[in-house]
Amino acid sequence: QVHLVESGGGLVQPGGSLRLSCAASGSNLRINVMGWYRQAPGKERDLVATITNGGSTNYADSVKGRFTISRGNAKNTQYLQMNSLNPEDAAVYYCYADDLNWGRYWGQGTQVTVSS
């Protein structure tokens, strides 16, 4: 199985930045895609960004140019750098990992609040 641990959420003022981290652990991991979703109260969980083992990235239109997803030097880690945050970005952010052996796994979620 795959265990994902997230960190980095919190309260930030509009225009500010946050960096989310997500680390995957487990046995016989063969993770090929990692990414982030977010869910605001009363709304569906929406895709934010994805990154493959090869470094290919994909972003939701709403975050292009402001968010950057990256993989860490440590195996099976990922980051989401979020800049120019606005209140519409406030949500619980969930990281996920697609493993060729185990399927999709999710992190526990981390709250991002954007408010002055």
Side-chain angles (χ1 to χ4, degrees), residues 7-71:
S7 61
L11 171 64
V12 63
Q13 293 185 343
S17 299
L18 282 175
R19 188 189 194 211
L20 306 182
S21 302
C22 176
S25 62
S27 59
N28 300 318
L29 296 184
R30 296 175 62 201
I31 294 173
N32 61 337
V33 179
M34 300 186 81
W36 297 86
Y37 277 71
R38 68 186 181 186
Q39 187 168 21
K43 295 186 177 181
E44 295 184 352
R45 189 176 293 191
D46 293 326
L47 179 67
V48 176
T50 64
I51 186 166
T52 68
N53 273 348
S56 296
T57 58
N58 182 54
Y59 296 93
D61 287 343
S62 60
V63 306
K64 283 181 180 176
R66 300 186 298 121
F67 290 13
T68 302
I69 189 170
S70 61
R71 299 286 288 262

